[in-house]
């Protein structure tokens, strides 16, 4: 299976190459970067030395020769690739926001016109597996919406209000430095941002509604001084109170058989580098606190994208994703 990674010099692209190196059937044959064409991959991703001898290239879309393409590029860039690759029979997994929302919602939230819109399954396999199996194209979800949706899914229908409070590592912002991600501003600090207006709220609302919830949904993110990981605390306010045993059973039944969901106290380090989402819940009667931890670059991006590729192409769902987290 020939794989092309569009945007291979970024964090998500690098993570795709790292994980695919352990896939039984996938071989990365094309890794793009507009600015680094001709540079060996391992100069930018030194941890991958010995795993690939590819150089970055900058091919025209029509010259990309692959069975599957991952789009690990910013939003609005992905829409210039997706349709063209699909029309040549190449399966596509888009890690950007371009196909996660209906067109009018996307245009409102991102403030730009969509130039090549079509519908795609929303790639959280634990919720949308049936639509993803065999699909030619999947929209990989945002990192915050992945952790938030999984934390609240089993209770979505029973809630009238859901408040997501997330802490994220700095790699969520990509490899382009900014004042926000400058070390003295991030280190030894915790910073709330986009208190009520983060774009990922739209995906969370969409997923809660899709799960049959009529709840009001709120979201506030915080930047913390770690490289990877998102810890989300979901305050789920129920229409009717539920006891601890009932809530735990609900979660265990909902995620029964889901390899990548582990019911245990979520800590970022335990999922770092892995595709796992650790979840626990505690009941206070009519308020349930559900906490999830994921690695934003793995279950929140590249790992989940490979999980989606596996379902789309008929590979084992865990292929390339069997690694444990890295603790400490
Ligand atoms: N970081 C995360 O935790 C995370 C989680 C979930 C989803 N995502 C999404 O995944 C995508 C990639 O994120 P990232 O963090 O890896 O970003 P990044 O580190 O900034 O990397 C972006 C990559 O895209 C390429 N690129 C930029 N503009 C392009 C364009 N117009 N056409 C073609 N290639 C272009 C860049 O290389 P050149 O500029 O050299 O071409 C680079 O390889 C984004 O849409 C992001 O929202 C990221």
């Amino acid at each position: 299976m020939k794989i092309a990674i569009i945007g291979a010099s970024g964090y998500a692209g690098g993570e795709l190459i790292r994980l695919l190196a352990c896939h039984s059937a996938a071989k990365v044959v094309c890794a793009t970067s507009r600015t680094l064409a001709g540079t060996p991959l391992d100069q930018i991703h030194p941890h991958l030395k010995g795993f690939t001898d590819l150089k970055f290239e900058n091919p025209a879309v029509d010259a990309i020769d692959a069975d599957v393409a991952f789009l690990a590029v910013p939003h609005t860039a992905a829409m210039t690739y997706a349709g063209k690759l699909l029309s040549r029979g190449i399966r596509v997994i888009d890690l950007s926001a371009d196909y996660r929302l209906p067109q009018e919602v996307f245009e409102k939230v991102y403030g730009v016109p969509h130039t090549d819109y079509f519908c795609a399954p929303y790639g959280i396999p634990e919720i949308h597996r049936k639509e993803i199996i065999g699909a030619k194209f999947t929209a990989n979800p945002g990192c915050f919406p992945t952790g938030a949706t999984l934390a609240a899914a089993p209770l979505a229908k029973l809630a009238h209000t859901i408040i997501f409070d997330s802490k994220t590592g700095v790699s969520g912002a990509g490899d382009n430095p900014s004042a926000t991600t400058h070390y003295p501003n991030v280190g030894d600090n915790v910073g709330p941002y986009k208190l009520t207006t983060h774009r990922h709220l739209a995906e969370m609302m969409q997923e809660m509604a899709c799960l049959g919830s009529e709840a009001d949904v709120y979201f506030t993110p915080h930047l913390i001084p770690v490289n990877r990981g998102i810890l989300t605390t979901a305050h789920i306010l129920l229409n009717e109170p539920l006891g601890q045993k009932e809530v735990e059973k609900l979660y265990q039944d909902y995620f029964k058989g889901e390899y990548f969901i582990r019911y245990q106290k979520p800590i970022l380090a335990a999922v770092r580098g892995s595709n796992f989402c650790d979840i626990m819940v505690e009941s206070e009667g009519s308020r349930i606190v559900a906490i999830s931890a994921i690695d934003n670059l793995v279950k929140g991006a590249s790992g989940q994208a490979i999980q989606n590729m596996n379902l789309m192409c008929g590979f084992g769902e865990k292929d390339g994703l069997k690694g444990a987290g890295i603790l400490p």
Side-chain angles (χ1 to χ4, degrees):
M1 179 76 73
K2 290 184 287 181
I3 310 289
I5 297 175
I6 315 302
S9 62
Y11 287 155
E15 204 60 0
L16 282 165
I17 299 163
R18 180 180 77 86
L19 294 165
L20 287 170
C22 298
H23 196 280
S24 69
K27 183 172 171 53
V28 179
V29 296
C30 170
T32 83
S33 160
R34 297 161 310 157
T35 56
L36 290 160
T39 306
L41 248 71
D42 57 23
Q43 275 188 24
I44 301 302
H45 300 305
H47 57 305
L48 299 177
K49 194 168 180 74
F51 289 88
T52 174
D53 51 11
L54 284 177
K55 291 182 175 169
F56 292 111
E57 52 182 307
N58 186 20
V61 191
D62 293 345
I64 294 168
D65 176 22
D67 302 302
V68 173
F70 291 91
L71 307 181
V73 296
H75 70 277
T76 68
M79 63 178 83
T80 66
Y81 285 90
K84 290 177 188 159
L85 292 168
L86 285 164
S87 71
R88 294 178 44 229
I90 300 174
R91 285 191 158 92
V92 177
I93 300 111
D94 176 23
L95 281 75
S96 87
D98 283 358
Y99 295 91
R100 295 176 193 156
L101 299 163
Q103 179 168 2
E104 62 282 8
V105 182
F106 171 85
E107 291 181 346
K108 189 168 170 219
V109 171
Y110 287 85
V112 287
H114 204 302
T115 55
D116 191 20
Y117 187 78
F118 41 88
C119 288
Y122 187 77
I124 298 185
E126 289 76 9
I127 293 173
H128 297 287
R129 185 173 284 109
K130 277 189 194 149
E131 300 147 61
I132 300 165
I133 290 173
K136 305 275 184 240
F137 180 54
T138 296
N140 217 56
C143 47
F144 285 122
T146 295
T149 300
L150 290 170
L155 289 172
K157 270 190 196 164
L158 308 178
H160 62 78
T161 305
I162 304 174
I163 301 167
F164 294 116
D165 174 316
S166 298
K167 285 96 190 162
T168 180
V170 186
S171 61
D175 75 348
N176 222 344
S178 71
T180 313
T181 59
H182 189 44
Y183 184 77
N185 296 335
V186 178
D188 204 14
N189 199 2
V190 177
Y193 64 103
K194 296 185 181 159
L195 273 61
T196 60
T197 57
H198 196 286
R199 288 161 166 175
H200 284 178
L201 175 60
E203 284 176 57
M204 295 172 190
M205 292 166 85
Q206 169 176 281
E207 281 308 281
M208 290 303 108
C210 172
L211 288 163
S213 179
E214 293 180 359
D216 293 327
V217 181
Y218 303 95
F219 170 52
T220 300
H222 306 76
L223 190 62
I224 58 169
V226 298
N227 283 337
R228 289 167 178 253
I230 294 178
L231 190 129
T232 295
T233 303
H235 302 269
I236 305 169
L237 309 186
L238 301 179
N239 297 317
E240 304 285 339
L242 276 179
Q244 180 65 21
K245 281 197 178 142
E246 294 167 283
V247 178
E248 273 184 36
K249 184 167 178 343
L250 238 149
Y251 272 70
Q252 273 155 7
D253 289 349
Y254 190 92
F255 291 121
K256 198 171 176 195
E258 293 295 350
Y259 176 77
F260 292 114
I261 311 291
R262 303 187 297 195
Y263 189 79
Q264 65 173 344
K265 183 177 173 185
I267 51 173
L268 289 187
V271 295
R272 188 187 298 141
S274 83
N275 199 50
F276 289 107
C277 174
D278 286 356
I279 298 182
M280 77 178 284
V281 278
E282 197 164 303
S283 166
E284 198 189 36
S286 48
R287 180 181 74 121
I288 307 297
V289 179
I291 306 195
S292 70
I294 57 168
D295 184 322
N296 56 295
L297 288 175
V298 188
K299 185 62 175 163
S302 307
Q304 186 149 256
I306 293 169
Q307 196 181 346
N308 284 322
M309 175 192 81
N310 288 339
L311 291 171
M312 291 160 69
C313 299
F315 300 127
E317 192 167 331
K318 298 181 229 166
D319 205 339
L321 301 170
K322 288 179 188 149
I326 301 164
L327 184 82

